[in-house]
Every structure is written in C-alpha cells, then in structure tokens.
Amino acid sequence: MKIAIVGAGAIGGYLGAKLARAGEEVTFIARNRNLEAIRAHGFKLILEDGSEEHAPTAKAVQRMAEAGPQDAVLLTLKAHQVKDVLPELRELFGPHTMVVTMINGLPWWYFQKLPGPYEGRSLESVDPGGLIGRTIEPERVIGSVVYPASELVAPGVVRLIEGNRFTLGELDGSRSERVEALSRAMINAGFKSPVSKDIRGEIWVKLWGNLCFNPISALAHATLEDICRFPATRALAATMMAEAQSIAQKLGVEFKISIDKRIAGAEAIGAHKTSMLQDVENGRALELEALVGSVVELGRITDTPTPTIEAIYAVTSLLGRQLAAQGGRLAIQR
C-alpha cells in the first residue's frame, strides 16, 4: 500500500516507521532538518524499553507532487495546521485515495454522512468557511482516534512513550473493503487497529477528557495527576465533562463509563503534561479550537448551555493570543 504521512512528527513518525518496516511504501512529507535526516538515514523509532527500530526504506519529500497519488494519506498534523497543507494536498489524490484523519479533537467532517438535522453542516471553529470540507471530499475520509503518546526527540527520530492503538472508522459506520484493508496493514505493522461502527462515539470518549484536562493544565501548569487530586480542579473538570456529555447525548452519543471513572483513568496516568501544557511551555500555537472551541460551537448548534466550558475557553484563548503576540513561552521553573 502506498501511504503518505502528512505531518512527520511524533505520531506521524511512529506510524510511518512501523508501516515502512512492515513493507508498506511509505513517503513522509517533511521539511528542513527532518527532511534531510529522513532522506539520509530513514526513520528511527525508540521503543518504550529503549530498544530501537530503523526504517531505512522510508522516503521523504518536501513537495507533495514528488510523492504523487497514494492509496492512503495519513493526516497527522494538529487541527489548526490542516489548512496550511490544502494547496498541495490534492497532489496526493488518485481516484480512490483515502484520507485518514489522525487529529485530536472534533474533526471538520463531524456532520458529514451523519443522518439527522445537522447533516452536511460545517464546523466553523475547525473549518472556517468550509475550505477543508470543499478540498477533501467526504467520500475520501476515514476517521481515526489516536491513543499512543510519543515525541520527536531529533530530526528523523521518534521516542514512543506508550500505546499502539489507532481506531479506524468510515463516516457512515460501514465496514468497507478499504477500511478493512487499511486496518490489516496497520495490524501487520504491529498496531491495534479495530474498525469502529461509531467513530464519532470513539472520538467523544477521548475528547471528553481532552476538552477539560488540556486547557486546565495549560492555565494551571499542572499535570493530570495534579488536576485530578486537587479538589477544586477535579470538580471543575467534572462540570465541564457534564456539559459536554449533554451535548453528545443530544447528538446520539452515549458514554459507557461515568465521569468519575473517566477522571480516575486520567489520574492513573500520573504526572503527565498534556499536549497543550507542553505547547504553552514551548511557545507553540495551542490546539484550542478542535479541543474546546468546537465543543462550544456544538453547544450553540444544539442549544445546550456550556457556561463552564465557555469560561475556560475564553481565558485559555486569551493566554494563547498573548503568547503568540509576544512570541513567548510560559513555564514554571525552579
């Protein structure tokens, strides 16, 4: 299978290295030092136990036209970065190319192929003006939920922190030949890759935690363990989750675990810094719209009050704006 990785970072590198080692024809779309490193040495993966795997056959190009049409395009960018690759993205498309969205938060395609009163509606928070939806046809899209944690420790080198599960799903819930083929390729590469009949429900389960723990951690400079063990922030997270649950239920999504169990699961992860806290500390743009702004938008669409989520969204938005305006970063140091 010809597979292009758009976003050769922590998750994209992990996926691409394993798929290339399993015999798939992998091409990374990369830039600068990452591009040079992959071209010169392939991609290296450092596993949880410290052992290393090398994917010397992985290719890297800067221009998507150099890669040409693919069987699958894995979008492993942050949600706010997708619009930046749109001008070239269709260079990777053939008649049957799949576009697999391995992106945190609510996706631009949420209402595509979703029967009901909101079918076909665009989410302005993640796709202003509907540009992404017009560039990537719904027929191409395969949804995904990314569970592993990894980090790009050097150009062309990714360290796996934990996890190997990537859930896949067609937008209409069908078990198509193409999603089954992609799942087999992923499993052959060593991943857990089940095909879900309800990919939106899977997205909500992960988002349920992300929408509260990410902004609270960014504001308080606290780990998951800190948030869950401090009574006031634990209660704040529970309130945000309850508001989000009301939205999801109106959209036909039912959660199979309680809020207390979801928080307990986050607490069990320990002293982990969320991706948004890491972005604040490193002066990177915050992934706020896909994780929080989109939930606020869904609240308005479904006429569901979200006062707590809106308050946290407002102050985190201002934090992100101030950091961007000053070109700064913010970290607690001894």
Side-chain angles (χ1 to χ4, degrees), residues 177-190:
E177 289 184 15
R178 66 177 189 170
V179 77
E180 294 282 6
L182 180 60
S183 174
R184 287 193 298 270
M186 296 278 288
I187 291 168
N188 186 51

Side-chain angles (χ1 to χ4, degrees), residues 29 37 71 85 88 119 145 156 185 233 266 297 308 321-323:
I29 310 301
D71 297 313
V85 304
E88 287 188 68
E119 184 172 8
V145 183
T233 49
E297 183 177 358
T308 312
R321 179 179 175 181
Q322 294 296 96
L323 290 173

Side-chain angles (χ1 to χ4, degrees), residues 78 275-286 320 323-331:
K78 291 193 173 183
S275 60
M276 195 174 292
L277 174 53
Q278 293 178 52
D279 289 341
V280 167
E281 292 184 337
N282 290 284
R284 296 188 293 254
L286 306 188
L323 290 173
Q326 301 297 325
R329 62 185 67 187
L330 189 61

Side-chain angles (χ1 to χ4, degrees), residues 50-62:
S51 62
E52 297 182 358
E53 293 183 354
H54 185 221
T57 62
K59 297 180 290 186
V61 299
Q62 182 169 352

Side-chain angles (χ1 to χ4, degrees), residues 20 26 37 40 47 74 89 105 127 140 187 196 207 245 269 285 302 306 319:
V26 173
L47 301 177
L74 309 189
L89 192 64
D127 186 16
R140 295 190 183 276
I187 291 168
S196 173
L207 177 67
Q245 186 173 19
I269 295 173
T302 60
T306 57
L319 172 62

Side-chain angles (χ1 to χ4, degrees), residues 248-271:
Q249 288 173 339
K250 286 186 178 181
L251 294 171
V253 176
E254 293 295 332
F255 295 97
K256 297 177 182 178
I257 62 172
S258 67
I259 289 174
D260 284 343
K261 283 188 177 181
R262 182 66 179 85
I263 293 175
E267 183 179 357
I269 295 173

